[in-house]
Amino acid sequence: MLNKYARAFFTRVLTPFAALLIRIGVSPDAVTLVGTGGVVAGALIFYPLGEFFWGTVVITLFVFSDLVDGNMARQLGRSSRWGAFLDSTLDRVADSAIFGGLALWYAGRGDSLMLCGMAIFCLASGQVVSYTKARGEAIGLPVDVNGLVERAERLVVTLVACGLSGLHAFGVPGIEILLPIALWIVGIGSAVTLGQRVVTVRRESAEADAIAQGGNSA
Ligand SMILES: CCCCCCCC/C=C\CCCCCCCC(=O)OC[C@H](COP(=O)(O)O[C@@H]1[C@H](O)[C@H](OP(=O)(O)O)[C@@H](O)[C@H](O)[C@H]1O)OC(=O)CCCCCCC/C=C\CCCCCCCC
Ligand SMILES: Nc1ccn([C@@H]2O[C@H](COP(=O)(O)O)[C@@H](O)[C@H]2O)c(=O)n1
Ligand SMILES: [Mg+2]
Ligand SMILES: [Mg+2]
């Protein structure tokens, strides 16, 4: 949903910044790499220490690079297969660091085996959700479904909850409950999304196989 409705807005807002980076000679690949490095550092340095506010500030500064790199490639007329591969692959790395950092917190001073497990479930289910699309497309299917919780929703729900939970350290009482709630929402939403995508791929592959068999018997 966010991918559909928010992308156009962010494209308008980020286009001048993308144009500036192009003018000073930065490449889309450099933005992809530096952006991912920043997200990974923010998540793995701050989250395991329970520094949710500052971790989220750092991650938010870098995560928008994922919208800037493609914007630059399109402005340059240089959108490439390599760029698409690099972008998607590093998305998986960034997502692993965010949920991995949360799992490390709950495995340590956060002291909750259940929420550690929930963070690992969010990490794994998010990766599998993305894999369904990549694998379905690789076998020639359109995978014409996005589902309830795509990557943008996973990130927004988790990062907003992390940032707000971090305000607990500044004396806001009770607000840290938002992070467990977000993990449950993302975990359950990702499981539903996985179901939606698997059902779609099953239908599309049955239709494609039927067409192929019709062609063979003719
Ligand atoms: C006082 C409190 C302080 C709080 C501190 C700061 C809080 C900040 C909180 C949140 C910021 C969240 C920002 C999240 C931005 C996410 C942007 C982003 O990277 O989106 C990526 C997404 C997908 O991009 P791709 O096409 O490159 O990726 C594809 C995707 O990964 C597919 O995965 P799948 O969906 O299948 O699982 C893969 O299949 C594919 O391979 C891959 O290529 O881009 C978009 O979707 C575009 C839309 C972005 C919408 C961003 C909306 C941000 C909205 C609100 C932020 C407002 C925050 C306000 C917080 C206030 C809190 C107090
Ligand atoms: N280094 C890069 C990054 C991305 N691309 C192209 O942009 C598409 C992704 O667009 P986003 O708005 O989601 O970033 C990707 O599929 C590539 O076509 C690129 O060429 N080089
Ligand atoms: Mg990108
Ligand atoms: Mg991306």
Side-chain angles (χ1 to χ4, degrees):
M1 217 168 68
L2 280 176
N3 203 8
K4 196 166 160 192
Y5 296 108
R7 188 180 271 276
F9 169 76
F10 280 99
T11 299
R12 266 201 311 280
V13 170
L14 293 172
T15 292
F17 180 60
L20 173 72
L21 291 178
I22 290 171
R23 270 202 304 282
I24 61 175
V26 178
S27 74
D29 285 2
V31 171
T32 310
L33 287 164
V34 171
T36 305
V39 171
V40 169
L44 292 182
I45 292 171
F46 290 97
Y47 283 178
L49 299 174
E51 294 279 357
F52 295 120
F53 181 82
W54 292 115
T56 307
V57 167
V58 172
I59 293 170
T60 304
L61 282 176
F62 284 97
V63 81
F64 282 101
S65 65
D66 191 20
L67 298 171
V68 173
D69 54 3
N71 189 318
M72 290 170 71
R74 285 186 286 278
Q75 286 193 46
L76 287 164
R78 273 195 352 224
S79 296
S80 63
R81 287 189 177 82
W82 161 251
F85 171 83
L86 185 71
D87 183 303
S88 291
T89 302
L90 294 188
D91 284 352
R92 308 288 84 78
V93 173
D95 295 358
S96 302
I98 291 171
F99 290 105
L102 295 175
L104 286 171
W105 161 249
Y106 284 118
R109 279 185 24 231
D111 196 22
S112 170
L113 208 54
M114 190 187 68
L115 290 173
C116 174
M118 205 55 211
I120 293 172
F121 183 80
C122 289
L123 193 168
S125 55
Q127 304 286 26
V128 178
V129 162
S130 300
Y131 179 78
T132 53
K133 188 147 237 170
R135 185 66 179 129
E137 287 171 356
I139 56 176
L141 300 173
V143 197
D144 195 14
V145 62
N146 290 320
L148 187 64
V149 177
E150 293 180 83
R151 179 166 187 257
E153 284 82 7
R154 292 199 296 272
L155 289 180
V156 170
V157 170
T158 306
L159 292 176
V160 169
C162 278
L164 290 174
S165 291
L167 294 179
H168 179 66
F170 298 93
V172 180
I175 200 153
E176 68 280 8
I177 190 67
L178 289 179
L179 182 50
I181 293 173
L183 289 176
W184 279 98
I185 291 173
V186 170
I188 293 170
S190 298
V192 171
T193 309
L194 178 58
Q196 290 175 296
R197 291 196 182 182
V198 168
V199 167
T200 302
V201 169
R202 184 163 168 76
R203 177 179 48 75
E204 288 178 353
S205 54
E207 286 166 4
D209 288 347
I211 291 168
Q213 277 159 16
N216 287 342
S217 61

